[in-house]
Amino acid sequence: MTASPTEYPDLADYLETAPLAFYAVRADDRTVAWANAAARRLADPPAIVTGTPFRDLFDVADGPVLAALLSAAPSSADASPAVATARVRTPSGARSTHLSANVGRDGTVRVAAVMSESDRSRDRALDDALSDRSAAAAALSRSRDALVASERARASENLEGAQVRSLATVLQRTLLPPVLASPPGMETAAYYHHASPDEVGGDFYDVFPLDGEAWGFFLGDVSGKGAGAAAVTSLTRYTLRAAAVFDRDPISVLQNLNSVLLPEFRGDDPRFCTVVYGTVVPSDEGAVIDLAGGGHPPPLHVRGDGTARYVDDLLGGQLVGGLPTPHFTSHRLVLSPGDVLLLYSDGVTEARVAGGRYDDDGDLLTFVADSAPTTATDLVDRVTTLVDGFGEGLQDDAALLALGMPRGASSDR
């Protein structure tokens, strides 16, 4: 479902600090009903956006493109948003943007705009879009500062290995949540194994509130390592969080992420990621979870009755950021009291063991089923012990995220 700033009291704060420009456009007269901080800063003159015809924010020649985009925008239940490219007018001149649009439940057309420029221009736009008071802004700033320091450090022939590892550790911490949140009445647990102390890894995860009822969560893996992977990881995390509060449909969230990543990392340094994104609505009877898969290994649903299964319905989803119109998969499940949902990265399943990779014969499912019934914390502890036991066979980063519905728990809402 798509949300507007008036439908949830805390949504405006999320969108105000989003690292994308967002507009809500009236369907009847096609004027802007609402725009976030990034959109207002792009405008020429600045801040004059609300009430303005949407086409007036762009180059005159792009009028027919914008009209077609707004007309073609589907409801959020459809497979993919309408997309187009247009030149937005800014105080420094017209700048190319990639646009994606769908229709919200209030009837307005929701448009997300992504600048199509160099990494430096993207960073300036992000700096403008994220307010100083935002926790996301602070984290992103720390990520960039640590990234610059790390790159300078690597260029110095006199830098000791311990200093390189220290800088990589600092940057890695900025890419993961400092404290893992838990939806009311639920339990969460996570683990991260850093394969190389000298390089920043590409695995990421997070759990965060969306409104008074729903929470969002994700776990994913960016291609490559080092500074390039860190840049993609940072952009991916904040884009997912922003897109999640803009649209409740998990498929739409991944489509918006794809629209952001696709034009940003092309040429000689293509970057993409795999990810499982979901929303969870806890209640006294259990938790309803809606999932979307983008090329990532399927989660494990560990039931309170002692059984476990892969969420195979997510198989077939394609990676994010590599294709113009990728196919993503979705599935809804219910976590009953005593159930746990485990997300993991392929560093776990592809660890080298005698005879091949660890999960070639479904050993992870067997291991998890033998641990059931369990809790989120106990399951992560058990799989962590398993991962540590791989020793040198664990050649990639490994991340775990578990959400559990304890027996007898009730949500404090």
Side-chain angles (χ1 to χ4, degrees):
M1 295 185 293
T2 306
S4 71
T6 59
E7 290 165 351
Y8 299 102
D10 60 346
L11 184 54
D13 287 340
Y14 284 102
L15 293 179
E16 280 294 289
T17 59
L20 303 174
F22 288 111
Y23 308 85
V25 182
R26 295 185 180 91
D28 50 1
D29 60 5
R30 295 186 174 177
T31 59
V32 178
W34 184 87
N36 71 344
R40 296 195 300 274
R41 285 188 170 93
L42 285 176
D44 182 21
I48 308 301
V49 179
T50 302
T52 300
F54 186 58
R55 67 176 181 276
D56 289 355
L57 302 176
F58 294 81
D59 190 279
V60 174
D62 290 324
V65 173
L66 298 171
L69 174 74
L70 297 178
S71 298
S75 66
S76 59
D78 284 34
S80 61
V83 295
T85 299
R87 291 176 61 80
V88 66
R89 294 169 52 195
T90 75
S92 60
R95 298 166 65 180
S96 180
T97 59
H98 297 273
L99 306 174
S100 62
N102 58 19
V103 178
R105 64 185 181 189
D106 63 352
T108 61
V109 181
R110 310 302 174 78
V111 182
V114 182
M115 304 307 299
S116 174
E117 295 189 2
S118 66
D119 288 353
R120 178 176 296 180
S121 296
R122 184 189 69 251
D123 286 344
R124 286 199 301 268
L126 286 174
D127 284 337
D128 289 339
L130 297 170
S131 66
D132 291 338
R133 61 184 173 80
S134 166
L140 187 57
S141 177
R142 292 194 302 271
S143 294
R144 266 197 227 99
D145 290 344
L147 178 60
V148 171
S150 178
E151 288 302 288
R152 288 175 177 171
R154 288 179 181 279
S156 172
E157 296 180 355
N158 298 324
L159 188 69
E160 297 292 337
Q163 293 175 280
V164 174
R165 289 190 290 273
S166 176
L167 289 168
T169 299
V170 170
L171 178 55
Q172 188 73 65
R173 287 174 179 170
T174 69
L175 301 177
L176 297 172
V179 177
L180 188 65
S182 295
M186 297 187 67
E187 177 191 18
T188 59
Y191 166 79
Y192 192 99
H193 170 81
H194 195 187
S196 171
D198 297 328
E199 287 189 306
V200 181
D203 291 4
F204 58 91
Y205 59 81
D206 207 350
V207 181
F208 52 98
L210 295 174
D211 54 49
E213 294 185 348
W215 286 61
F217 64 92
F218 54 77
L219 185 145
D221 184 5
V222 166
S223 62
K225 295 182 183 299
V232 183
T233 300
S234 182
L235 180 62
T236 297
R237 287 190 70 241
Y238 296 117
T239 299
L240 280 171
R241 290 185 66 123
V245 297
F246 191 66
D247 197 315
R248 288 296 183 271
D249 178 29
I251 291 287
S252 294
V253 171
L254 294 192
Q255 288 165 343
N256 281 323
L257 176 61
N258 190 76
S259 297
V260 171
L261 293 185
L262 188 63
E264 290 295 330
F265 300 96
R266 299 294 94 196
D268 296 333
D269 188 28
R271 294 286 179 174
F272 54 85
C273 73
T274 65
V275 65
V276 171
Y277 169 77
T279 61
V280 54
V281 179
S283 70
D284 294 339
E285 293 74 31
V288 177
I289 293 182
D290 288 298
L291 295 167
H296 200 78
L300 281 158
H301 184 185
V302 188
R303 296 189 176 95
D305 63 6
T307 61
R309 73 174 187 95
Y310 286 112
V311 185
D312 289 336
D313 307 79
L314 295 187
L315 291 173
Q318 295 175 314
L319 56 85
V320 186
L323 301 170
T325 56
H327 170 70
F328 301 130
T329 52
S330 63
H331 181 67
R332 169 172 286 189
L333 59 86
V334 175
L335 282 188
S336 300
D339 287 5
V340 177
L341 183 71
L342 177 68
L343 287 72
Y344 55 91
S345 64
D346 59 10
V348 177
T349 55
E350 295 183 359
R352 306 302 299 182
V353 296
R357 298 183 303 181
Y358 169 69
D359 199 42
D360 281 347
D361 298 319
D363 288 348
L364 181 60
L365 176 60
T366 301
F367 179 86
V368 169
D370 289 343
S371 304
T374 185
T375 66
T377 299
D378 287 346
L379 184 58
V380 167
D381 286 346
R382 287 173 180 260
V383 180
T384 297
T385 300
L386 170 72
V387 169
D388 291 343
F390 291 143
E392 294 183 357
L394 190 62
Q395 300 175 348
D396 197 1
D397 299 322
L400 305 171
L401 175 64
L403 294 86
M405 178 60 66
R407 295 182 187 275
S410 61
S411 60
D412 181 16
R413 297 182 300 158

